[in-house]
């Protein structure tokens, strides 16, 4: 049983560009959350998707947007990239409408130059 | 603002020692408190979690102690091994599946 998978593994972009990160949840999971982890810090919650709707949102600007597909996979989009967006982006999935533990993927390392 | 405060920032213990990591929170609506372990280049992995209706929970060598009145909880690692060397994060949320509020992490080194 594959766990949470994310693509790509690494990504390098320049300021002002746009990026899309992808996540496939663990089998049987219906809820996906995204977190940003800056170097040396704990993960910060960006938003959560359930039934293709954004259910919760953290303190992130509108440049960060997402989507969940009918197969429960999800995308994170970041527009107008800033140097400060450089971080590890983590996807976590959970089951039963999100009422169970969250399992994290390996993350996508985004570097903005 | 940081909703969960974690200490110490780093910790070095000898093999067999018992490292202790502490966390404190303010939001009394939090009712789920997990600990995650993260190795370099990997995502966080759930170690153990506790809810406020119990004061202690053990799973293998890992123990969570919870003090609801003080709004504090801690992780103890019994008989620590070099393979336990990693970064540990405490977190808190209103529900196990909702937004997790993480501490800043503790870098643990277990020397042989």
């Amino acid at each position: 049983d594959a766990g949470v998978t994310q693509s790509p593994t690494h990504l390098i972009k320049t300021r002002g560009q746009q990026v899309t990160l992808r996540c496939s949840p663990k089998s049987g999971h219906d809820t996906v959350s995204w977190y940003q982890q800056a170097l040396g810090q704990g993960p910060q919650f960006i938003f959560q998707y359930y039934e293709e709707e954004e259910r919760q949102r953290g303190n992130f600007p509108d440049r960060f947007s997402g989507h969940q597909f009918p197969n429960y996979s999800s995308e994170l989009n970041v527009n107008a990239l800033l140097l400060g967006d450089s971080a590890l982006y983590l996807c976590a999935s959970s089951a039963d409408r999100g009422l169970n533990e969250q399992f994290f993927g390996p993350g996508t390392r985004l570097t903005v130059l | 603002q940081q909703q969960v405060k974690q200490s110490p920032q780093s910790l070095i213990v000898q093999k067999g020692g018992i490292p202790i990591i502490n966390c404190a929170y303010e939001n009394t609506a939090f009712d789920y408190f997990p600990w995650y372990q993260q190795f370099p280049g990997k995502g966080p992995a759930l170690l153990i979690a506790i809810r406020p209706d119990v004061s202690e929970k053990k799973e293998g060598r890992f123990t969570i102690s919870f003090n609801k009145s003080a709004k504090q909880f801690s992780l103890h690692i019994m008989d620590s091994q070099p393979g336990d060397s990693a970064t540990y994060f405490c977190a808190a949320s209103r529900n196990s599946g909702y937004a997790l509020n993480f501490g800043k992490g503790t870098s643990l080194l277990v020397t042989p």
Side-chain angles (χ1 to χ4, degrees):
Chain A
D1 173 29
V4 179
T5 60
Q6 293 186 245
S7 63
T9 305
H10 296 89
L11 204 52
I12 300 175
K13 292 286 189 179
T14 56
R15 280 177 298 174
Q17 284 190 312
Q18 179 264 344
V19 68
T20 298
L21 310 181
R22 295 175 176 83
C23 170
S24 291
K26 187 177 169 66
S27 177
H29 286 189
D30 56 13
T31 303
V32 172
S33 301
W34 287 92
Y35 293 80
Q36 179 195 65
Q37 186 177 22
L39 201 60
Q41 301 294 316
Q44 296 289 316
F45 175 75
I46 302 175
F47 42 53
Q48 183 182 81
Y49 277 84
Y50 169 69
E51 289 190 336
E52 302 178 48
E53 298 279 336
E54 183 183 289
R55 184 164 70 174
Q56 277 189 283
R57 188 177 184 93
N59 189 26
F60 278 80
D62 291 345
R63 297 187 297 111
F64 290 77
S65 64
H67 188 78
Q68 185 179 35
F69 299 94
N71 67 352
Y72 307 120
S73 66
S74 178
E75 288 181 348
L76 164 66
N77 301 291
V78 188
N79 295 322
L81 285 168
L82 304 174
L83 295 179
D85 294 331
S86 295
L88 180 68
Y89 287 85
L90 296 162
C91 171
S93 71
S94 54
D96 294 336
R97 299 173 284 117
L99 295 178
N100 286 299
E101 291 85 355
Q102 296 183 41
F103 292 83
F104 283 81
T108 292
R109 172 70 62 188
L110 173 64
T111 302
V112 182
L113 302 177
Chain B
Q1 69 281 17
Q2 196 77 20
Q3 296 206 51
V4 177
K5 295 183 179 179
Q6 182 172 347
S7 63
Q9 186 175 354
S10 62
L11 196 51
I12 301 175
V13 299
Q14 286 191 327
K15 178 182 174 181
I18 306 175
I20 301 172
I21 305 171
N22 300 298
C23 286
Y25 64 98
E26 287 298 325
N27 190 340
T28 55
F30 290 153
D31 68 355
Y32 173 72
F33 304 89
W35 285 89
Y36 283 84
Q37 178 191 57
Q38 186 175 31
F39 293 103
K42 304 289 186 182
L46 180 65
L47 269 179
I48 184 173
I50 197 169
R51 294 189 184 273
D53 52 344
V54 296
S55 60
E56 187 177 275
K57 182 175 181 179
K58 292 182 181 181
E59 285 188 6
R61 296 185 293 110
F62 301 95
T63 298
I64 298 179
S65 297
F66 188 85
N67 185 328
K68 187 175 180 178
S69 61
K71 291 184 285 186
Q72 295 176 347
F73 58 110
S74 60
L75 176 70
H76 298 60
I77 305 175
M78 307 301 178
D79 186 29
S80 60
Q81 301 297 313
D84 296 329
S85 298
T87 300
Y88 292 80
F89 293 95
C90 62
S93 74
R94 291 170 45 216
N95 180 288
S96 59
Y98 277 55
L100 290 167
N101 298 274
F102 283 86
K104 289 190 174 184
T106 295
S107 178
L108 171 66
L109 177 63
V110 181
T111 60

